[in-house]
Amino acid sequence: MAEAPQILELRNICKSFPGVKALDNVSISLNKGEIVGLVGENGAGKSTLMKVLTGVYSMDSGEIILEGQRVKINSPIVGREMGINIVYQELSVLRNLTVAENLFLGNLKTTKSGLVDWKAMQAEAVDALKTMDLDIDVNTPMRNLSIAQCQMVEICRACVVNQCKVLVMDEPTSSLVDKEIEYMFQIMMDLKEKGITIIYITHKLDELFRITDRVFVLKDGANSGQMVTAECTKDDIILAMVGRDLGHYYPVHDGKRGKPVLEVRNLCQGDRVKNVSFTAYAGEILGFAGLIGAGRTETMMSIFGAMPDVSGEVLMEGKAVRFKHPQEAIQAGVALAPEDRKNQGLVQIFSIMHNTTLANMKGILNQFGFLDLKKEEDVANHYIKVLNTATPDAFKRVRELSGGNQQKIIVGKWLFTDAKVLIFDEPTKGIDVGAKVEIYRLMRELANGGVAVIMVSSELPEVIGVSDRIMVMHDGELKGELSSEEATENRIMQMAIGGAHT
Amino acid sequence: MKKEKTGMSVAKHIGEFSGKYGIVLIFVLLVAVAAILQPVFLHPRNITNVLRQVSVNGILATGMTFVIISGAIDLSVGTIFCMCGMVMMFVMPRTGWMGAILVGLILGAMIGCCNGYMVYRGMPAFIMTLAMSILLKGCSFILSNGTPIASSSTTYNALGQSYFLKVPVQVYIYFLIVIVATIVLGRTRFGRSVYAIGGNIEVARLSGINVKKTRILVYIISGVLAAISAVIGTARLGSCEPTLGEDYHSDAIAATVIGGTLMSGGEGHQMKTMVGVLLLGVLSNILNLTGVTPYAQYVVKGLIIIGAVASDIFRRVKMN
């Protein structure tokens, strides 16, 4: 195969922040029209490297060579003008504006008199969407679009309107369902055909094999591997990422099912949860699969007392309970680690210590009824040790931690409540493989220790690999139950899209 | 990631130190400048004078610190002050001074409860307390017919005018309130809940914190402290008039933010607010001693507030 011409090279990039060397002589090179995966654990330097490339950060030393020319990218605007665009994991669209306005954000067309030329912009927006075969009305406000559609508009803005040469995609599929991911890949292949080079950042290693030509691995701010995708295995990549063999990716199912702990009968919530009934047993991991929006989160939040308009029966260890507030659920021994770590899981400006004890302040009172700060620190340190959290001390603010470590703080927080039922909603979303494996093992250990673990997950291999039993939801209803032996991605998918009961 | 030792970490430590104690340093500097410019500043009489002057604002700022840490604001403390003062003057001839104080405290608590409940239900705190402030101002005028009402008890007045061990009584009251508030905020579940709802109200709710109770209690504290400061303020004057306390909320907010409390909530300390209160007090004292006109004093005060808060904010932005 003839080698395509090189389009971009990053050579010996170094970047330090106070006290930390974030990038240490990192080099990558890209050829025209290829899709290159960029992987590494959280904190490995992927985002920093991309911020240097797109001009958000200035580098300390190193060179960027674009189409054979040494270039200086000292602001995102310069980067964009040179043809380097980025689509972030979190949407950067203005939801109150229309599709057309978003497409031309930052370079609105104007008429001679200096006013915005709406007509020309609309016409161009229609053309732009057409080149990508997107069927979206340019006058719709962005807030009416799905996340996937918003992302398509962003990609369209980068590739068609800004006519970029290199497109960086930072975990674009993390909020998408399978069908949308397929569509996203289709569009990526089309862009590749058109000669656009894509740098694809992801934590989902399976995707690398679907879409990329080559993979660059970073570890601790330095290059740690570069491979041709077709010639390597998932284990090769993992080894380069974590520098050690992770052993079994999913832990062995070696628990024994105990007594029923949580029984749910005919749970309804508004029109999002319809007559859901299930039982969670001690010693077991119960998985909840389904598409995004199937009502799994709402089901868990309803059990936890965090939702209005809930009806149905909930029994804790055989006794009927009705939680009207999370406070009551926690007291009864139910814990819920929510999907959205940033907005629901942790107070970002709090220290690790304060977050760890937030759900059980009773546990750190002294004999006079005041908070015992020494005891609090001990508790936090205990969970840092048990969960192997990477932090210098318990006083560090959680917002400075990586996603995986934040998840561990959340787990520690709920362990400290002595929960009998622990609900994890998408526990591995956006965290790196090393931390994922640790979370899986931890859930298994908890189950073996007699806790009823419930895991909501949209990643099918994960649900199948981790759960003992799997509930599949579709449109607010339970569509069926599968044991881990009989579960396949296919069968789950059939149920999840509303297929027949089994 | 690799740590770079020595130089970097020393600079970081200095940065952390000035971040933690920056406002204290500024305060010490201000006192030093004052002592050099006007040696009379250090006279015990002048110092107790400053302390007496700051007590009213100090007590209001203590309440404001609770409110701002909880992620809200209370623009009505000045008019709660006035309303409680008017009502206490009004009922004192019938109830006696102790009864009057009791009525004042209950009224302050009720107004705070009302603010807190409405904010809990989703009213923006800014609007709710602004409207409450306007409403109370009207009530004060109606009650007094626009004229001052005098206190009818000399025992009551003594609360604002007498001394114990050469220090004004109100200074003891202020210090006591700060100590209690520091313990409540730093060492109780309620205090931690205040930080939590200010840090992230949804996380707090999902962690089993009673948001409703916390929100309402914070505003009750603010209302009651406004009533206590009204006792001191009106006892000092021996009367109350319907324009008294009108802009007290601005000094209370200023002292709180100078003390480094985040306007967005979740972070702050009572002791640092106290430094903010003292800083403002020392500042007006110096300006008075050096003969700066009251008009120019406003300008200087405004600049100092901008300077103190901006230096703090710029540092934070840089560190992130």
Side-chain angles (χ1 to χ4, degrees):
Chain A
M1 189 171 78
E3 189 85 334
Q6 189 185 64
I7 181 154
L8 177 77
E9 186 182 358
L10 300 173
R11 208 181 276 166
N12 301 328
I13 308 285
C14 293
K15 171 77 187 169
S16 292
F17 294 108
V20 179
K21 189 138 200 191
L23 293 175
D24 188 5
N25 270 314
V26 175
S27 302
I28 63 173
S29 69
L30 308 167
N31 300 329
K32 192 168 162 62
E34 77 175 337
I35 300 178
V36 168
L38 182 63
V39 296
E41 295 192 280
N42 285 331
K46 297 175 307 243
S47 305
T48 313
L49 186 66
M50 289 306 110
K51 282 182 177 160
V52 167
L53 174 62
T54 51
V56 178
Y57 291 156
S58 60
M59 56 194 166
D60 299 341
S61 65
E63 288 177 300
I64 297 178
I65 293 145
L66 183 65
E67 296 180 309
Q69 301 279 320
R70 212 180 136 175
V71 293
K72 216 175 170 150
I73 304 173
N74 44 23
S75 85
I77 297 168
V78 173
R80 201 168 62 207
E81 278 167 3
M82 285 182 184
I84 300 169
N85 272 245
I86 183 161
V87 176
Y88 290 103
Q89 175 182 10
E90 268 144 41
L91 296 174
S92 53
V93 294
L94 300 178
R95 300 176 60 80
N96 53 333
L97 300 184
T98 66
V99 172
E101 286 167 312
N102 268 286
L103 279 175
F104 290 94
L105 212 61
N107 47 8
L108 293 178
K109 303 264 170 230
T110 49
T111 59
K112 271 183 211 137
S113 51
L115 298 174
V116 175
D117 189 347
W118 296 111
K119 249 193 186 149
M121 245 168 53
Q122 269 185 9
E124 273 195 54
V126 171
D127 287 345
L129 292 179
K130 220 178 260 167
T131 36
M132 275 178 61
D133 282 333
L134 291 176
D135 184 23
I136 301 171
D137 178 5
V138 295
N139 294 318
T140 329
M142 287 301 271
R143 78 172 86 84
N144 294 350
L145 303 186
S146 71
I147 294 177
Q149 285 176 314
C150 288
Q151 247 160 357
M152 299 303 163
V153 171
E154 273 199 76
I155 293 170
C156 183
R157 178 168 75 198
C159 297
V160 184
V161 179
N162 296 340
Q163 299 191 324
C164 70
K165 298 166 190 153
V166 177
L167 177 67
V168 181
M169 301 177 82
D170 190 355
E171 290 197 54
T173 62
S174 61
S175 313
L176 303 187
V177 298
D178 285 1
K179 209 174 78 195
E180 295 169 331
I181 293 173
E182 286 305 320
Y183 187 49
M184 169 80 73
F185 285 167
Q186 190 55 51
I187 283 184
M188 286 170 70
M189 294 310 280
D190 289 349
L191 293 173
K192 180 187 155 107
E193 288 292 308
K194 288 179 185 142
I196 292 173
T197 306
I198 300 176
I199 301 178
Y200 187 66
I201 300 178
T202 186
H203 280 305
K204 298 184 189 166
L205 299 185
D206 296 320
E207 291 182 351
L208 293 174
F209 295 94
R210 295 277 317 278
I211 194 86
T212 65
D213 301 306
R214 286 190 299 147
V215 179
F216 284 93
V217 186
L218 295 185
K219 177 174 166 11
D220 296 336
N223 286 88
S224 110
Q226 170 186 341
M227 28 221 141
V228 175
T229 316
E231 296 164 9
C232 71
T233 65
K234 198 167 159 184
D235 287 340
D236 295 336
I237 296 175
I238 291 174
L239 191 65
M241 280 169 76
V242 298
R244 62 181 190 277
D245 199 346
L246 286 171
H248 292 293
Y249 197 69
Y250 298 113
V252 193
H253 298 217
D254 51 1
K256 266 217 311 258
R257 184 198 270 197
K259 284 187 207 135
V261 181
L262 179 76
E263 290 168 73
V264 176
R265 303 275 168 265
N266 300 321
L267 189 79
C268 297
Q269 192 273 320
D271 58 357
R272 285 182 290 187
V273 180
K274 301 165 193 163
N275 280 314
V276 168
S277 303
F278 66 91
T279 305
Y281 295 88
E284 182 188 65
I285 299 178
L286 180 61
F288 270 77
L291 301 177
I292 290 170
R296 294 167 300 163
T297 297
E298 289 80 1
T299 303
M300 299 309 152
M301 286 288 199
S302 301
I303 295 169
F304 195 56
M307 282 282 197
D309 306 328
V310 176
S311 68
E313 247 186 298
V314 177
L315 289 95
M316 264 302 271
E317 295 179 311
K319 264 184 294 184
V321 286
R322 192 41 169 317
F323 307 132
K324 286 189 213 70
H325 190 282
Q327 199 174 21
E328 297 167 13
I330 294 165
Q331 268 160 17
V334 181
L336 189 150
E339 175 181 6
D340 186 345
R341 283 189 289 275
K342 203 164 154 196
N343 298 311
Q344 299 185 312
L346 295 168
V347 181
Q348 294 287 323
I349 62 169
F350 269 22
S351 63
I352 292 174
M353 177 167 117
H354 290 351
N355 270 299
T356 304
T357 58
L358 195 60
N360 182 18
M361 286 191 257
K362 250 188 211 157
I364 52 160
L365 297 181
N366 62 18
Q367 72 254 45
F368 308 109
F370 290 109
L371 299 176
D372 185 337
L373 303 186
K374 182 77 194 62
K375 204 176 191 174
E376 183 173 26
E377 197 188 333
D378 292 344
V379 167
N381 281 327
H382 170 72
Y383 287 108
I384 288 172
K385 218 173 119 193
V386 171
L387 301 173
N388 196 16
T389 313
T391 172
D393 54 48
F395 301 103
K396 204 168 175 67
R397 288 173 195 239
V398 296
R399 70 160 173 222
E400 294 166 33
L401 301 176
S402 67
N405 282 314
Q406 289 201 6
Q407 188 64 281
K408 288 180 186 177
I409 305 299
I410 296 179
V411 173
K413 162 178 161 180
W414 293 114
L415 290 183
F416 187 50
T417 63
D418 281 326
K420 295 173 201 133
V421 179
L422 231 169
I423 304 169
F424 290 91
D425 195 352
E426 304 283 3
T428 64
K429 190 177 172 185
I431 71 179
D432 56 65
V433 264
K436 269 187 188 179
V437 171
E438 283 184 78
I439 298 281
Y440 297 149
R441 283 197 192 139
L442 189 85
M443 286 195 278
R444 179 52 65 192
E445 277 167 29
L446 285 171
N448 288 350
V451 175
V453 176
I454 296 176
M455 178 184 73
V456 174
S457 170
S458 299
E459 274 189 58
L460 292 179
E462 173 175 290
V463 181
I464 296 168
V466 175
S467 321
D468 296 307
R469 269 189 310 142
I470 299 160
M471 300 287 181
V472 187
M473 285 187 74
H474 167 75
D475 196 21
E477 289 175 67
L478 266 185
K479 280 291 175 189
E481 179 183 336
L482 295 167
S483 72
S484 61
E485 292 82 31
E486 55 190 4
T488 61
E489 296 199 18
N490 231 329
R491 287 187 76 173
I492 294 179
M493 225 39 224
Q494 290 241 313
M495 292 180 181
I497 57 174
H501 258 269
T502 48
Chain B
M1 300 206 189
K2 291 157 196 160
K3 279 254 168 188
E4 277 178 9
K5 290 264 151 54
T6 61
M8 270 311 203
S9 67
V10 170
K12 202 182 162 199
H13 279 302
I14 293 172
E16 269 174 17
F17 180 82
S18 72
K20 250 182 183 164
Y21 304 106
I23 200 64
V24 180
L25 292 178
I26 293 175
F27 175 65
V28 171
L29 206 70
L30 190 67
V31 169
V33 170
I36 294 163
L37 284 181
Q38 288 288 334
V40 69
F41 173 81
L42 289 177
H43 195 282
R45 192 80 154 276
N46 186 54
I47 288 178
T48 52
N49 198 19
V50 172
L51 290 176
R52 197 193 61 223
Q53 282 163 358
V54 302
S55 295
V56 164
N57 182 38
I59 295 169
L60 292 174
T62 306
M64 191 63 79
T65 304
F66 276 101
V67 179
I68 293 181
I69 290 175
S70 78
I73 189 82
D74 190 348
L75 301 176
S76 64
V77 292
T79 49
I80 296 177
F81 172 99
C82 182
M83 184 70 200
C84 291
M86 297 307 307
V87 169
M88 286 189 287
M89 297 300 117
F90 193 76
V91 300
M92 204 180 296
R94 270 143 285 184
T95 60
W97 68 275
M98 280 204 278
I101 290 176
L102 191 68
V103 169
L105 296 182
I106 291 172
L107 181 63
M110 277 165 49
I111 298 168
C113 184
C114 189
N115 277 336
Y117 179 72
M118 293 305 282
V119 173
Y120 164 73
R121 289 294 304 272
M123 274 286 279
F126 190 95
I127 307 293
M128 181 61 216
T129 58
L130 181 70
M132 179 59 83
S133 169
I134 295 167
L135 183 155
L136 291 176
K137 190 170 165 183
C139 293
S140 300
F141 272 100
I142 293 167
L143 192 68
S144 65
N145 224 346
T147 54
I149 309 180
S151 152
S152 60
S153 159
T154 49
T155 325
Y156 178 87
N157 294 353
L159 285 170
Q161 296 170 2
S162 59
Y163 290 76
F164 177 71
L165 300 174
K166 291 193 176 163
V167 177
V169 171
Q170 65 212 58
V171 176
Y172 293 102
I173 298 176
Y174 170 41
F175 282 5
L176 186 72
I177 286 172
V178 171
I179 292 168
V180 172
T182 304
I183 294 170
V184 168
L185 205 47
R187 288 301 183 96
T188 66
R189 290 161 70 188
F190 164 72
R192 187 63 62 76
S193 305
V194 174
Y195 282 102
I197 68 169
N200 185 327
I201 197 163
E202 180 68 359
V203 176
R205 184 176 79 97
L206 293 175
S207 299
I209 284 167
N210 191 330
V211 174
K212 183 181 181 182
K213 188 179 111 186
T214 310
R215 178 69 81 210
I216 291 174
L217 215 49
V218 162
Y219 274 99
I220 289 179
I221 289 174
S222 180
V224 168
L225 290 180
I228 294 176
S229 68
V231 172
I232 290 169
T234 54
R236 169 88 190 139
L237 294 171
S239 70
C240 187
E241 57 182 46
T243 52
L244 195 67
E246 245 176 349
D247 57 356
Y248 280 11
H249 63 278
S250 71
D251 271 6
I253 294 169
T256 308
V257 295
I258 288 174
T261 299
L262 283 185
M263 281 303 283
S264 50
E267 202 177 294
H269 290 281
Q270 288 292 359
M271 285 298 174
K272 285 193 184 170
T273 295
M274 188 166 164
V275 175
V277 167
L278 293 173
L279 193 142
L280 284 178
V282 168
L283 186 70
S284 19
N285 184 252
I286 301 167
L287 295 174
N288 280 329
L289 291 177
T290 49
V292 176
T293 66
Y295 302 146
Q297 284 192 21
Y298 281 116
V299 178
V300 175
K301 212 156 112 185
L303 288 174
I304 293 277
I305 295 169
I306 293 172
V309 178
S311 67
D312 189 45
I313 299 291
F314 294 165
R315 186 183 48 79
R316 279 175 208 272
V317 170
K318 209 172 156 191
M319 282 187 109
N320 288 340

